[in-house]
Amino acid sequence: MSWIQESKLKWYETLAVNVLKCGSIPKHVAFIMDGNRRFANKSGVKKIEGHSKGFDKLTEVLHWCLLLGVNEVTVYAFSIENFRRSEEEVDQLMSLAREKFKRLLEEKDKLNEHGISIRVIGNIGLLPADLQKLVVESMESTKSNTEAVLNIAFSYTSREEMTHAVREVAWGVQEDLLKIDDITEDLIQKCLYTRHSLQPDLLIRTSGEKHSPLPKKLTCPGGPEEFVRRETTANKRKHGQDREVSQQNGSERISYKKPDSDTSLDLSDPFIVSNLC
């Protein structure tokens, strides 16, 4: 399926677009493409067909975003963590990516006509060499466009992005291009893959799955009646001991442990309140 759909809108679709454009339109919308494998399992088709159908649906969404005047769209398409999947599935996903980027290059005139710039964010060095070439060609062929931006997060995780930024800064210090005092939040921001992007106004996860906001290690075995609060290090220093308070069924239990030899203030120590376990 084409990256740029040219289908004519039905009358009620045109009406919907016009009504929506009377209100506030987000400048940047991001989509986490999730649920393709679950769709495939539910439909009784192969996983790669689920991924392909997911791309087809994506092009429809991009068409609507273009009609509504959304200036920037980010698609989280392939996480670095996806490399942990079976070799067969990863190979199929790489083949699908090759197919779609080749199609994108075939349609670069359409992209240029609509003024759409393609940016691929992520560690593309982890991709096969031929796919890296297609990715670079896609970005180069549309880099001058300024009407709209499509960010494709491919071989991406936010953790790797932050690691990359820190390494860039560390390299600058090592090469005497930067001093420690030069390191600021703004400098780190300029080293991110997303440095050219606005903050997303809207983030949509497509699968319909609901995930707990807390990691498993923070869940409470006692259910809603129990919560555990760890105070910040600054508050714990009052008695020279770390204090952990837990409360269950109205009773309070306090335990102490000796502090480490390093008693410096640890501003990274979290203040956690969880009563929704």
Side-chain angles (χ1 to χ4, degrees):
M1 183 175 286
S2 171
W3 283 83
I4 302 294
Q5 293 191 11
E6 301 290 353
S7 58
K8 187 176 180 180
L9 295 181
K10 298 179 176 62
W11 69 267
Y12 54 85
E13 292 176 330
T14 302
L15 176 63
V17 169
N18 291 334
V19 169
L20 288 172
K21 291 176 76 171
C22 291
S24 178
I25 299 295
K27 295 181 179 179
H28 185 183
V29 179
F31 297 93
I32 300 175
M33 295 180 65
D34 188 26
N36 292 335
R37 294 196 299 175
R38 284 185 288 276
F39 170 80
N41 291 334
K42 185 177 180 180
S43 304
V45 299
K46 295 180 179 180
K47 292 177 182 178
I48 192 60
E49 292 185 41
H51 292 299
S52 183
K53 291 290 185 181
F55 172 80
D56 293 343
K57 185 58 64 175
L58 168 67
T59 61
E60 293 181 28
V61 172
L62 295 178
H63 179 58
W64 282 102
C65 288
L66 189 63
L67 290 173
L68 289 169
V70 177
N71 301 116
E72 186 169 2
V73 173
T74 295
V75 178
Y76 295 94
F78 186 85
S79 168
I80 291 175
E81 295 178 356
N82 292 153
F83 282 113
R84 299 176 184 175
R85 296 180 179 179
S86 69
E87 183 178 354
E88 179 184 10
E89 185 176 0
V90 172
D91 288 344
Q92 289 176 339
L93 286 169
M94 293 300 106
S95 296
L96 181 62
R98 289 186 186 93
E99 174 189 333
K100 300 310 178 184
F101 276 107
K102 286 179 181 178
R103 185 61 183 269
L104 188 151
L105 287 170
E106 292 171 359
E107 298 180 338
K108 62 183 179 182
D109 290 340
K110 284 186 180 180
L111 292 169
N112 292 333
E113 179 183 344
H114 289 280
I116 301 173
S117 175
I118 302 296
R119 297 177 188 159
V120 179
I121 57 176
N123 187 348
I124 63 173
L126 298 177
L127 302 175
D130 62 325
L131 184 52
Q132 291 183 40
K133 183 179 178 182
L134 291 172
V135 165
V136 172
E137 288 178 1
S138 299
M139 292 191 289
E140 285 294 316
S141 63
T142 60
K143 66 180 182 180
S144 299
N145 297 333
T146 58
E147 292 298 318
V149 176
L150 173 59
N151 300 309
I152 305 173
F154 203 84
S155 186
Y156 173 89
T157 65
S158 58
R159 293 185 297 276
E160 196 280 330
E161 180 179 19
M162 289 184 284
T163 301
H164 168 80
V166 171
R167 285 177 175 167
E168 288 284 296
V169 172
W171 177 85
V173 173
Q174 183 179 359
E175 296 295 319
D176 292 327
L177 300 174
L178 293 172
K179 296 179 180 179
I180 296 298
D181 292 340
D182 294 329
I183 302 175
T184 62
E185 181 180 338
D186 185 58
L187 178 63
I188 297 293
Q189 167 68 24
K190 290 178 179 178
C191 294
L192 296 174
Y193 299 137
T194 51
R195 59 187 175 274
H196 300 299
S197 295
L198 300 170
Q199 291 294 327
D201 300 302
L202 183 63
L203 174 63
I204 300 171
R205 190 181 189 113
T206 60
S207 68
E209 289 288 298
K210 295 182 179 179
H211 297 267
S212 170
L214 293 174
K216 290 182 179 179
K217 65 181 180 180
L218 296 182
T219 58
C220 303
E225 296 80 9
E226 178 179 354
F227 71 88
V228 176
R229 182 182 68 225
R230 289 188 61 200
E231 296 179 339
T232 62
T233 304
N235 291 331
K236 294 174 186 175
R237 300 304 175 193
K238 181 177 180 180
H239 299 290
Q241 295 171 308
D242 284 345
R243 186 178 73 162
E244 187 172 280
V245 181
S246 64
Q247 184 171 337
Q248 185 172 16
N249 299 327
S251 63
E252 183 176 80
R253 181 175 68 255
I254 301 175
S255 60
Y256 293 94
K257 63 179 182 178
K258 293 182 180 180
D260 297 329
S261 56
D262 179 11
T263 58
S264 59
L265 184 63
D266 181 9
L267 295 179
S268 66
D269 193 17
F271 179 83
I272 302 172
V273 177
S274 171
N275 58 3
L276 296 175
C277 304

